[in-house]
Amino acid sequence: MRQSLHLSTLSLGLVLGAISFVRAAANESLPTGDSLRMLNLQTQTKIVKIFGVGGLRQLEAYQSGVFVSAEGHILTAQSLVLDEGEVTVVLWNGARATGTILTVDPLMELALVKIDVEEPMEWFRLDEGVSVQPGTRVLAFANVFGIAVYDEPVSMLQGVVSGIVPLSARRGATGANYTGKVYVVDAATNNPGAAGGAVVDMSGNFLGLIGKELRSEATGAWINYALPVSALREPVERMIKGEPPPATSPSDTSADQPTMADYGIVLIPDVIERTPPYVDRVVADSPADKAGVRPDDLVVSIGGRSVASRRDFERLLAASVQGEPLEVAILRGKELLHVSLKQPGNLE
Amino acid sequence: MNRRSIIYASAVGVSCVLGCAAGAAADAPPTLQMLEEAAVRSAIEQVRPAVVRIDLIGSAAADGDLQASGPTSGLIVTAEGHVLTSTFGFATLPASILVTLDDGRQLPATLVATDHSRQLVLLKLEGATELPVQVIAPLSETNAGQWAIAVGRALSADGPNVSVGIVSAVGRLQGRALQIDASISPANYGGPLIDISGRILGVLTPLAPDSSEGASGTDWYDSGIGFAVPLADYKPSLIRLQSGEDLHRGLIGIAFASDNAMESPAAIGSVRPRGPAAAAGLRSGDRIVAIDRVRTDTQAAFRRQLGRFYANDSIVLAIEREKSSFEVNVTLVSELEPFRHAALGIRPRDASTSEAARVEVAHVVPGGPASAAKIEAGDMIERIDDQIVSTSDDLAAAVQLRTPGETVKLNIARRQESIGHSVTLAERSAELYTPENGTTPGEQASAAPPGETREFNLPGYATPCPLYVPSDAQDARPLGLLVVLQSGSDAIDPEALRRWQESAEQNRLMVAMPHPQESRGWSARDIDYVRELMRTLVERHDIDRRRVAIAGPDVSNPITLTFWLANRELVRGLVLGSAELPAGVRLPENEADRPCLVLVTADAADRKTVKLIEQFHKVGFAAATGGDSSPEIIAGWVDSLDRM
């Protein structure tokens, strides 16, 4: 039920007279409502609505973005909305500008958009230290479902940081490129238009950028998450300077990874969708044999990651680090054992 | 003003306002939000050691939309290593269960028992001692509106994942669950729900309204509606689970007389034969006023109170019967035999004579109970078990309360004589009906002039519906109604209706052949259209409500079945071309006041046909094969739906 519109949206209007605003700010005895209102006002000026031409393909052709410099640099998520190299950017006050896509970071799936400004803009600082833990209260600002039009403020959603976990997610058949840690939040941000929006703490500090819509690999559910500011800092600096991203790490090459057979393990045949990874046979003198693996052992984890089926086993094996022993946990009856398999082909 | 100067002007204005505000807000006292956040974080820290991660090896959490191999969460409930979790992921029995504790230790676990009613599973860790157990908040301190923090450990073994909301309601789902607005999903199913001081309120489960068993509520994940089973009063159930007893919902085997859930007190309409209520001697008309001395003033209150109990629980019911009141012990069960309708083996006809309304036996089903009791066509039924019968509705209502195998006494008037017959009721059958003796209504009607073919326009709907209305002969029986859904792709074809005319005339059936409202074919929205069509025709033409049936367009289209499922109070006969239930469809249980016979027109020798008929029979419906789907056979069968 991700596309539920009931959201606890606190869209406080921006239509506040300057006079009443200053009077409210001077009265410190009621911090709750006023500090939220102020925070909304401050944050809205740093958020933009982005409209692209993807509409021709009948995709949602809108998303959100955040100012990351006073000069009009806007950080957003890379997506089909940006495909034509130019987008329409609508500011908090309804002003429209044409944005040029300066550069993209294919690993983080980020894009930097630039609009021309004559005066400095309000922007999010990425170099402020923030402390985030599960339970930290957050506000998400994004144009979910494209509800905000013209000068309307984007929707403000409340929630907490649910967890800080590696992003293992999939979108259709292709996984996310970024696999570092993200903030999972319990505000419903995994919705059209939210990508490129901001997650801030209760003092308005920028915590992260809402990424594109993804399903969690662990739970199968759509996840609400933000790319953390700590992971954004470097790529954004680089993008503003116009430097190319560093070459991708060599771990991508999995062509000559050792296979199950190389380790000397034969699992029971893969007959059902979720065949448990029971060892059927162990090849004599193989790394598995030397480490003491026996038939009928049940493999429960590889390299600390749990293995729920034979297919998980194959997947994790293909992703294991080359040149290092393979740490395997096995269940033998009611006993949990940890063994270390030498990399096959290593000289002894 | 050009675009750039707009941006310029606005930016200046805002900077000024924000600048003033920021100055005023410096070194302010901690805000309410900050205090709440600190409390939430300390509550999470407190419960953290008791929240575990559970890896299920060789099992799939394939429920609805969610298909993942991921881990799930659990809550330590005893120091010796009992862990409660939800049924999520346990749909197929896992080959092995591995539990990761907060300190990083991994321990194998075994499944002890399952609470199917509340969708909880109890696990036992191997070789664990002195595990941290968290305090449970008393029920009196669990109220709507208070903070509710959902904690899981499925996203990462390193630490808990959380979602914060409030308690939306207590005593939900027949008194089994708390409702919360925090985001509940596979990330935290099985984990604890805690209050702002870190005490346990309950365990998060994928429960949903109207769900029977299995992890059925997963379609509602992250929707703002989540459920947790409260633990404050769960101790007795936990002890039963610890002893290895699987818990199922307790069923009593009654149906209420009224559809009004607020009816007070709740009067029993029918008692399921051989069920717990029948064993305790309860009967139709009894009023239930309390369970275990807790007053249940309405049907709704009764259901709420009963929902808390499990199979094998004994409860004390306070009953009012006529002028007396008493208490009975009832032991609940996990499964009831389905309700099956009883039959006399006749077809009735309302005969109005000058003196009084009478029920005539129009036809005797060959080999049926009435035939065995030497009842003949033309007999007048005066009484059943000494209760006067003046219309066929009276007779139908009386038979409906009986069960197959029961013997009833019929008083029959034949040629100025009145004789009592004992009839042992059989199960109502759906077999094709072959006339053997007596005057069948069909023969009588066949001499009448042909009826009228026309198009019927239901107000508010664009596509007209071809309709055949049999001629209105003198003293004719009321009409039945057969709705034959037309395949979506066909244009309206007058020939299609012509094929039905003769059989419709013979069997006194109005035949309506509606098309979907949109050319793409039948959709769920058309159900409303067909229902309205059916209702309108029934009312306008004074249709015999016992002879209303629906037939489908082609073998693969599930619309016929879907329509029946949504309109069981209207449909008395279901003609299916398809020999297989569509994926995901579960047949409902037969109910006394919604009788329906099923005719499957697919190949009778096909294994699928046999299986489909078995599936209907298993939930209490009589079903039969039609052999071929010719209008004569179907119309004759629909006409015979008034068999009783």
Side-chain angles (χ1 to χ4, degrees), chain B residues 135-206:
Chain B
V135 179
I136 294 170
L139 217 49
S140 60
E141 291 175 39
T142 308
N143 297 298
Q146 78 181 48
W147 285 110
I149 305 161
V151 187
R153 202 185 271 269
L155 291 183
S156 157
D158 301 338
N161 45 267
V162 300
S163 175
V164 178
I166 60 168
V167 174
S168 304
V170 297
R172 278 281 200 261
L173 307 179
Q174 290 87 43
R176 289 175 295 162
L178 301 170
Q179 185 188 325
I180 47 196
D181 73 346
S183 296
I184 307 305
S185 77
N188 49 27
Y189 287 144
L193 183 76
I194 59 174
D195 69 6
I196 194 88
S197 8
R199 297 179 303 177
I200 309 288
L201 296 176
V203 173
L204 304 161
T205 80

Side-chain angles (χ1 to χ4, degrees), chain B residues 175-373:
Chain B
R176 289 175 295 162
L178 301 170
Q179 185 188 325
I180 47 196
D181 73 346
S183 296
I184 307 305
S185 77
N188 49 27
Y189 287 144
L193 183 76
I194 59 174
D195 69 6
I196 194 88
S197 8
R199 297 179 303 177
I200 309 288
L201 296 176
V203 173
L204 304 161
T205 80
L207 276 170
D210 299 325
S211 69
S212 48
E213 301 198 338
S216 45
T218 53
D219 291 349
W220 289 28
Y221 81 84
D222 284 353
S223 66
I225 296 176
F227 297 101
V229 173
L231 288 197
D233 55 358
Y234 198 69
K235 186 87 186 175
S237 312
L238 192 60
I239 291 169
R240 287 166 76 172
L241 289 176
Q242 280 173 322
S243 75
E245 181 186 355
D246 281 334
L247 301 177
H248 291 269
R249 230 178 131 167
L251 303 175
I252 185 165
I254 59 167
F256 288 111
S258 154
D259 281 342
N260 176 12
M262 296 310 289
E263 184 205 27
S264 175
I268 297 178
S270 66
V271 176
R272 189 72 67 87
R274 293 178 290 281
L282 296 186
R283 53 190 204 225
S284 174
D286 287 353
R287 297 177 301 277
I288 304 174
V289 291
I291 298 180
D292 281 357
R293 307 212 161 72
V294 177
R295 284 203 67 85
T296 55
D297 291 325
T298 59
Q299 278 184 27
F302 172 80
R303 282 180 215 277
R304 246 190 325 269
Q305 194 58 28
L306 187 73
R308 300 166 196 268
F309 292 96
Y310 296 103
N312 301 327
D313 282 350
S314 278
I315 56 172
V316 178
L317 293 185
I319 302 290
E320 289 176 2
R321 179 180 294 167
E322 284 147 18
K323 297 252 161 24
S324 66
S325 60
F326 56 95
E327 288 191 338
V328 288
N329 275 303
V330 179
T331 304
L332 304 175
V333 296
S334 60
E335 257 183 88
L336 293 168
E337 287 180 38
F339 178 84
R340 293 184 201 282
H341 286 91
L344 289 168
I346 63 154
R347 289 180 60 190
R349 172 162 46 208
D350 284 298
S352 45
T353 63
S354 49
E355 309 110 62
R358 304 284 291 277
V359 183
E360 184 184 348
V361 176
H363 185 72
V364 178
V365 177
S371 163

Side-chain angles (χ1 to χ4, degrees), chain A residues 56-71:
Chain A
L56 296 172
R57 298 179 201 170
Q58 303 198 316
L59 295 162
E60 289 93 357
Y62 54 89
Q63 62 186 44
S64 309
V66 298
F67 279 116
V68 288
S69 80
E71 296 81 45

Side-chain angles (χ1 to χ4, degrees), chain A residues 1-2 4 6 18 21-22 25-26 28 31-32 35-36 38 41-42 45 91-93 95-98 115-122 131 133-137 160-166 170 181 184 186 202-203 215-222 224 274-278 298-301 306-309 312 315 329 331 334-336 338, chain B residues 2-8 10-12 14-15 17-18 20-22 24-26 28-34 36-37 40-41 44-45 53 55-61 65-71 88 95-98 106-108 110 126 147 154-156 158-165 182-183 185-187 218-224:
Chain A
M1 267 284 289
R2 72 202 175 96
S4 44
H6 60 88
F21 178 68
V22 173
E28 286 295 340
T32 312
S35 62
L36 254 184
M38 198 192 301
L41 277 166
Q42 287 173 330
T45 60
L91 306 195
W92 61 280
N93 59 2
R96 296 163 73 87
T98 299
I115 59 168
D116 290 336
V117 291
E118 290 184 356
E119 276 298 305
M121 303 304 299
E122 290 291 324
S131 141
Q133 293 153 271
T136 298
R137 291 189 70 173
V160 299
V161 171
S162 293
I164 305 166
V165 297
R170 60 191 152 92
K181 286 196 170 179
V184 175
D186 73 348
M202 296 308 277
S203 313
R215 263 177 192 269
S216 161
E217 224 165 57
T219 66
W222 295 95
N224 305 304
R274 316 269 323 144
T275 306
Y278 277 111
L298 180 64
V299 179
V300 294
S301 83
S306 34
V307 176
S309 69
D312 282 357
R315 202 166 42 83
L331 205 56
K334 289 184 172 176
E335 208 181 347
L336 185 69
H338 293 273
Chain B
N2 67 22
R3 193 179 65 224
R4 283 185 190 183
S5 43
I6 295 175
I7 293 176
Y8 167 77
S10 327
V12 170
V14 163
S15 319
V17 172
L18 293 178
C20 312
T31 62
L32 180 57
Q33 288 103 325
M34 290 156 108
E36 282 169 348
E37 181 178 323
V40 166
R41 290 230 293 259
I44 298 164
E45 278 311 305
R53 172 182 160 114
D55 283 292
L56 302 173
I57 294 131
S59 166
D65 191 26
L66 306 174
Q67 304 205 336
S69 57
F88 183 75
S96 184
I97 305 164
L98 203 58
Q106 279 201 320
L107 299 171
T110 47
E126 299 294 330
W147 285 110
L155 291 183
S156 157
D158 301 338
N161 45 267
V162 300
S163 175
V164 178
S183 296
S185 77
T218 53
D219 291 349
W220 289 28
Y221 81 84
D222 284 353
S223 66

Side-chain angles (χ1 to χ4, degrees), chain A residues 316-333:
Chain A
L316 285 175
L317 204 58
S320 63
V321 182
Q322 274 211 36
E324 281 180 26
L326 193 68
E327 302 297 333
V328 177
I330 54 179
L331 205 56
R332 184 175 297 160

Side-chain angles (χ1 to χ4, degrees), chain A residues 211 213 229 255:
Chain A
E213 291 173 65
V229 62

Side-chain angles (χ1 to χ4, degrees), chain B residues 489-553:
Chain B
S489 50
D490 290 357
I492 292 182
D493 172 16
E495 282 307 313
L497 191 58
R498 218 156 284 163
R499 287 190 343 145
W500 285 89
Q501 283 175 6
E502 199 182 325
S503 331
E505 192 69 42
Q506 262 183 23
N507 294 290
R508 297 284 301 154
L509 288 186
M510 177 183 291
V511 176
M513 308 187 82
H515 288 257
Q517 287 299 302
E518 280 174 36
S519 56
R520 277 174 312 182
W522 291 103
S523 72
R525 268 176 305 161
D526 287 310
I527 294 207
D528 292 339
Y529 161 64
V530 177
R531 173 183 26 241
E532 219 176 308
L533 177 80
M534 207 177 233
R535 283 218 169 112
T536 309
L537 292 174
V538 164
E539 263 154 46
R540 279 200 200 164
H541 295 269
D542 202 16
I543 298 284
D544 175 358
R545 279 156 214 248
R546 286 198 290 272
R547 287 157 57 229
V548 175
I550 187 146

